[in-house]
Amino acid sequence: MGKGKKRHSSWKMQALTSTISTTMVLVLLGIVTITMLTARTLSRTVREDLTVTVILEDGTETEEAKKIQAELTGKPYVAHVNYISPEQALAEQIESMGVEPTEFLGENPFSISMELRMTAEYACNDSLNWITSGLKAKPNVADVIYQKDLVESLNRNLKRISLALLAVAMLLVVVSLVLINNTVRLSVFSHRFTIHTMKLVGARWGIIRRPFLRLATFIGLASATLADGMLIAGCKWAESYDSTVATYVTTQSLGIMSAILYGTGLVITLACTYLSVTSALRKKESDLY
C-alpha cells in the first residue's frame, strides 16, 4: 500500500514538473508567435498607409473626376480613394506654407487630384510600376506620383524583420523540442523498471505506452492552457495600459497563437513520450542499470 502511494505521488510530482517546464517553453514560443503576428498586422497597416497621388489635367470637370474616382474605388489594388478638390488643395497649401499662391499667381494653381491608399499586397515597386503606367494612360490624368525610394526601403526593412523573426521562431521550436524531449526522457527513465516488468509479464507495447501517452496528453493540454492564460492576460494588461495595443494584437492573432500552442504542446509531448517509451521497451535488462 505504501509503495502504491509512493508511486502515485511520484507520478504526480513528475507530471507537475513536466507541466511547469513545458509551460515555460510554450510561453516563450507564444511570445515569438504573437510578435510575428503583430509584426504582420503592423506591416500590413504600414503598407496600406502608402499613398499614390493621381493628378488630373487642368480643366477636368468635376463630373468626369467623380467617374474616375468611382472607377478607381473598384480596383482590387485600391483600399481607399481620397478626392481632393482644387479648393481643398489650396486651403491645405495655405495652412502648411502660410502663403496664399493666388496672391502672386492670380488664380488657383491646383487641379483636381486623388490620393490612393493601396492594399498591402500591391504596395511594392513592381506592382506600383504597372499600376502607375496604367493610370497615366487614362484620359484626363496628368501625372501619377509616389515615393519609390520610400516604398523600396520599407519593403526591404519589413522583409528583413520578417526573416529575423522567422529564424528566431525556428530556433525556438528546436530548443522547445530538445527541452521537452529531455524532460519526457527523464520521466520515462525513472519508470524504466516498471516498463521492463510489464514487458516481462507479456504486456503488449501499446498497453505499456497507454498511461504514458495519456499523461503526455494531459501535460500538453495543461501546459498550453497555462501558457495561453499567461500570454492573454499579459496582452490584456498591455491593452489596458495602452489602448493602441488592441489595434495590432487582435482577437484573431490570439486565436492563432492559442491554436499553435495547443498543437505544439500536444504534438511534441506525445511524440517525445512515444519515442522515449519505445526506446525503453527496446532496451535489455542489462541496459537498465
Side-chain angles (χ1 to χ4, degrees):
M1 190 71 177
K3 291 183 178 180
K5 286 185 178 180
K6 186 176 181 181
R7 189 180 300 112
H8 186 65
S9 176
S10 174
W11 274 82
K12 279 186 174 181
M13 183 58 65
Q14 288 172 6
L16 178 62
T17 303
S18 298
T19 301
I20 293 173
S21 59
T22 304
T23 298
M24 294 299 101
V25 172
L26 291 180
V27 166
L28 293 176
L29 182 60
I31 291 173
V32 175
T33 300
I34 201 66
T35 302
M36 290 183 66
L37 294 172
T38 302
R40 182 183 175 186
T41 303
L42 181 60
S43 169
R44 187 177 187 86
T45 302
V46 171
R47 286 172 186 267
E48 290 182 348
D49 281 340
L50 293 171
T51 58
V52 174
T53 303
V54 179
I55 302 174
L56 302 186
E57 295 177 346
D58 292 335
T60 302
E61 297 292 335
T62 302
E63 184 178 347
E64 184 63 31
K66 291 293 184 181
K67 288 181 180 179
I68 296 174
Q69 181 187 12
E71 181 185 351
L72 291 174
T73 302
K75 296 294 184 181
Y77 51 79
V78 176
H80 178 72
V81 179
N82 183 26
Y83 180 93
I84 303 175
S85 65
E87 294 75 22
Q88 182 182 346
L90 178 62
E92 291 176 356
Q93 177 69 17
I94 294 172
E95 183 180 355
S96 62
M97 302 297 293
V99 178
E100 188 169 350
T102 55
E103 292 182 355
F104 51 89
L105 293 177
E107 61 179 358
N108 187 348
F110 298 102
S111 60
I112 298 173
S113 63
M114 299 176 195
E115 288 185 349
L116 312 182
R117 282 180 55 192
M118 313 304 291
T119 56
E121 294 78 11
Y122 292 91
C124 59
N125 278 329
D126 290 341
S127 297
L128 290 173
N129 284 335
W130 68 262
I131 290 172
T132 54
S133 298
L135 292 174
K136 288 179 180 179
K138 291 182 177 295
N140 299 313
V141 175
D143 198 7
V144 180
I145 302 170
Y146 73 94
Q147 296 177 308
K148 293 184 179 181
D149 293 340
L150 176 61
V151 174
E152 184 177 351
S153 175
L154 176 64
N155 283 286
R156 182 171 59 249
N157 290 332
L158 289 175
K159 185 177 181 180
R160 288 175 179 172
I161 293 171
S162 298
L163 290 175
L165 288 174
L166 181 61
V168 172
M170 295 301 295
L171 178 62
L172 192 54
V173 168
V174 173
V175 172
S176 302
L177 182 61
V178 172
L179 290 176
I180 294 175
N181 183 56
N182 287 339
T183 302
V184 171
R185 286 181 63 187
L186 288 173
S187 177
V188 172
F189 180 78
S190 65
H191 293 90
R192 63 193 184 281
F193 292 109
T194 303
I195 293 173
H196 184 68
T197 301
M198 293 176 70
K199 186 171 67 171
L200 289 177
V201 298
R204 289 181 298 176
W205 285 20
I207 294 177
I208 297 174
R209 290 194 193 99
R210 192 173 300 163
F212 291 96
L213 293 177
R214 188 162 41 240
L215 180 62
T217 301
F218 168 79
I219 291 172
L221 291 175
S223 300
T225 301
L226 290 172
D228 272 337
M230 293 169 64
L231 291 169
I232 291 174
C235 290
K236 293 301 179 184
W237 174 84
E239 185 180 332
S240 66
Y241 184 77
D242 185 354
S243 58
T244 57
V245 172
T247 305
Y248 304 108
V249 184
T250 62
T251 303
Q252 182 183 17
S253 298
L254 292 176
I256 294 173
M257 179 200 70
S258 296
I260 289 174
L261 292 188
Y262 273 105
T264 303
L266 279 173
V267 170
I268 292 181
T269 52
L270 284 172
C272 292
T273 300
Y274 182 90
L275 293 174
S276 296
V277 175
T278 302
S279 176
L281 287 168
R282 288 174 177 167
K283 288 182 178 180
K284 298 178 181 179
E285 185 176 0
S286 58
D287 299 327
L288 301 178
Y289 298 92

